[in-house]
Amino acid sequence: MAQAEPLYPVPAEEPNAPEDWLEPFREVRIVTEQLCGPLETEDYVIQSMDDVSPPKWHLAHVTWFFETFLLRPYLRGYVPLNDTYDHLFNSYYETHGNPFPRPRRGILSRPTVADVYRYRHYVDEAMGLLLSNPPAEHSRTIAERTCLGIHHEQQHQELLVMDIKHILAQNPLRPVYTDRLQAPPPRHPVAMGWYGYEGGVVSVGVEPGGDDFAFDNEQPAHRQYLEPFELATRPVSNQEFLHFIEQGGYRDPALWLSDGWQLVQQQGWEAPLYWAREGQQWWHFTLRGWCPVDPDAPVCHVSFYEADAFARWAGERLPTEAEWEHAATHTPNRHGNFLDSGYLQPVGTRVRHDFDKRRPGQLLGDVWEWTGSAYRPYPGFRTLSGSLGEYNGKFMSGQMVLRGGCCATPASHIRPTYRNFFPPSARWAFSGFRLAREARK
């Protein structure tokens, strides 16, 4: 396969007419294929654990989304390339049909990789016809669903990077995803500071019907009362997490929630995922290969349980998602690095003066930040109508909220109100955390 070219984000502007979505649609489709460019054919088929999907499946599923929710209902005369794909590449939409079991995606040697690319290009051509000449009576719905489909594919671009990393990490050859990734720049250590917020009644979430895109789980905007609190000016670093390891953090049950401590013992956790000690040096697997752990970069690939245990060890806590959103909404220069940066791993603090002002930095990008909040619906939440109502609402149980995006998130995809969610045991995402505490009097 050809090497990946530089990545281009979908434009931030969000047009309203279907024909205005044609170019953003084509751009997001190109980026997905660029992400798969460095893969060998054999890499496309592997499913390294139940939560990981083969890259070939991601390519087909995002295509299935456009076919299912746009082409089948709205393109007159559309004939699917293969009716069985509706079963194979349906992720979890039970009201639509019969999804192929997620843990068995890795057994599908057919359709081939070439077949999947043929499927993508077949659907791309049909989408071009639909968006160029949409039926007037369905114009608004087509525009809205195309927008959703583009953001859905951006989610899978991040998942592709996560899953490719996990797949390659299982190989004793320690393969490099691509030697064209940029090496993260050196950073000078910046001491963690604290920034105080007065609290009070704040607005959280997004009002439905606004000009900018938001997923249904970000809605509606609602009021929430916050006690005065302080937020750390940067995420917890690898060096700080190493102190936790060295002082027995993984061996002290008093620091852990019960379920987390059970996993530590069952799984033998003693460091973040992808870390290993060789002599006196800690190394970790990255998409650039096996590298020494950068002490100044944000710690990554830790579960909620590990984040919570560290916070307890440090005498602090994790922020609630409302605290995090309030801080991110009212903090300038909050950005870190994204997929577009070309590093595909977290890097240390970029803007020194942010920290001199004791303002939080890197709230967006680098690592998804675990919060202390369970993933539950906002007051007044309503799912989308039809099968699209399964997109987010059915997962509002047994998950914790993460905020801010990461080094594999397209920059145009993230915003302060974005709610990501994973089970508290998940480690293969680019997940880290920052600390919070009650305001000091």
Side-chain angles (χ1 to χ4, degrees):
M1 297 292 173
Q3 295 293 311
E5 297 298 327
L7 304 179
Y8 300 96
V10 172
E13 300 84 7
E14 297 192 339
N16 295 314
E19 51 268 33
D20 294 334
W21 282 107
L22 182 56
E23 193 59 31
F25 168 79
R26 288 172 172 165
E27 289 178 352
V28 81
R29 301 288 282 174
I30 289 170
V31 170
T32 304
E33 295 189 13
Q34 288 174 339
L35 288 172
C36 292
L39 300 179
E40 299 294 339
T41 303
E42 292 82 356
D43 298 325
Y44 279 87
V45 189
I46 295 175
Q47 183 171 28
S48 50
M49 65 172 177
D50 287 357
D51 287 334
V52 164
S53 294
K56 180 177 72 172
W57 186 90
H58 284 290
L59 288 170
H61 167 68
V62 292
T63 303
W64 169 92
F65 189 95
F66 287 109
E67 179 178 67
T68 299
F69 296 114
L70 283 150
L71 297 179
R72 286 178 180 264
Y74 301 120
L75 181 60
R76 180 170 302 192
Y78 177 73
V79 178
L81 183 64
N82 188 320
D83 283 327
T84 308
Y85 290 177
D86 193 49
H87 166 55
L88 293 181
F89 303 124
N90 179 355
S91 55
Y92 51 73
Y93 293 86
E94 303 279 354
T95 59
H96 170 76
N98 178 27
F100 189 80
R102 179 173 183 170
R104 294 173 58 80
R105 292 171 184 168
I107 71 169
L108 298 173
S109 61
R110 308 295 175 92
T112 66
V113 174
D115 289 335
V116 167
Y117 275 105
R118 190 175 302 113
Y119 176 44
R120 283 182 65 87
H121 301 156
Y122 181 86
V123 166
D124 288 352
E125 183 177 352
M127 282 292 296
L129 295 174
L130 177 64
L131 296 178
S132 298
N133 188 25
E137 67 272 25
H138 300 300
S139 179
R140 179 182 179 88
T141 300
I142 289 170
E144 290 174 345
R145 291 191 177 189
T146 303
C147 176
L148 177 61
I150 287 172
H151 283 271
H152 171 255
E153 184 143 346
Q154 287 186 308
Q155 287 183 314
H156 279 268
Q157 290 168 358
E158 179 180 313
L159 288 168
L160 263 170
V161 177
M162 289 164 45
D163 290 0
I164 289 168
K165 182 173 184 178
H166 194 271
I167 288 166
L168 297 179
Q170 311 313 306
N171 193 322
L173 295 174
R174 296 175 177 173
V176 174
Y177 164 61
T178 174
D179 58 8
R180 298 185 63 185
L181 291 178
Q182 297 185 53
R187 304 296 194 199
H188 298 292
V190 175
M192 183 186 295
W194 295 89
Y195 188 79
Y197 296 86
E198 293 182 358
V201 177
V202 301
S203 178
V204 175
V206 178
E207 200 59 42
D211 292 335
D212 298 325
F213 174 81
F215 286 113
D216 59 351
N217 66 354
E218 301 172 58
Q219 305 172 30
H222 59 284
R223 293 172 298 174
Q224 191 161 340
Y225 180 78
L226 300 180
E227 295 287 349
F229 69 98
E230 295 181 0
L231 192 68
T233 51
R234 60 163 172 77
V236 169
S237 70
N238 287 322
Q239 184 64 60
E240 288 156 345
F241 203 85
L242 275 168
H243 293 158
F244 170 75
I245 296 172
E246 292 164 353
Q247 295 189 22
Y250 281 94
R251 301 190 299 273
D252 185 354
L255 299 175
W256 295 80
L257 295 169
S258 177
D259 290 347
W261 181 245
Q262 187 175 11
L263 281 170
V264 168
Q265 297 183 301
Q266 289 177 348
Q267 304 295 326
W269 291 354
E270 57 180 21
L273 183 64
Y274 304 128
W275 283 35
R277 193 196 328 245
E278 293 187 1
Q280 298 302 308
Q281 174 72 55
W282 280 95
W283 295 69
H284 64 155
F285 183 78
T286 76
L287 288 163
R288 295 177 57 246
W290 199 241
C291 301
V293 169
D294 177 359
D296 301 317
V299 67
C300 191
H301 297 299
V302 292
S303 67
F304 166 81
Y305 295 126
E306 290 161 290
D308 182 76
F310 180 98
R312 206 179 308 266
W313 170 80
E316 312 295 355
R317 61 173 175 83
L318 300 178
T320 68
E321 66 166 323
E323 289 172 337
W324 190 99
E325 182 176 319
H326 179 65
T329 303
H330 295 88
T331 299
N333 301 318
R334 58 196 176 220
H335 291 193
N337 88 86
F338 300 94
L339 176 71
D340 318 66
S341 304
Y343 305 130
L344 295 189
Q345 67 184 83
V347 300
T349 303
R350 179 178 62 178
V351 185
R352 179 74 184 235
H353 72 264
D354 277 355
F355 293 84
D356 292 341
K357 295 178 180 178
R358 301 180 67 83
R359 303 277 289 190
Q362 290 179 286
L363 282 161
L364 301 182
D366 284 296
V367 290
W368 283 106
E369 298 185 12
W370 287 106
T371 72
S373 298
Y375 179 53
R376 294 291 297 145
Y378 285 162
F381 170 75
R382 295 291 183 269
T383 60
L384 299 173
S385 61
S387 294
L388 286 172
E390 296 187 65
Y391 197 106
N392 281 311
K394 66 190 289 181
F395 301 108
M396 291 178 170
S397 174
Q399 317 257 9
M400 301 301 291
V401 173
L402 303 93
R403 291 299 195 111
C406 71
C407 58
T409 307
S412 63
H413 184 64
I414 200 63
R415 53 199 164 272
T417 58
Y418 194 115
R419 305 176 78 201
N420 201 359
F421 53 93
F422 281 111
S425 59
R427 308 174 90 206
W428 95 109
F430 289 90
S431 51
F433 62 100
R434 76 177 65 218
L435 299 174
R437 64 191 185 189
E438 277 63 48
R440 300 294 170 92
K441 297 180 180 180

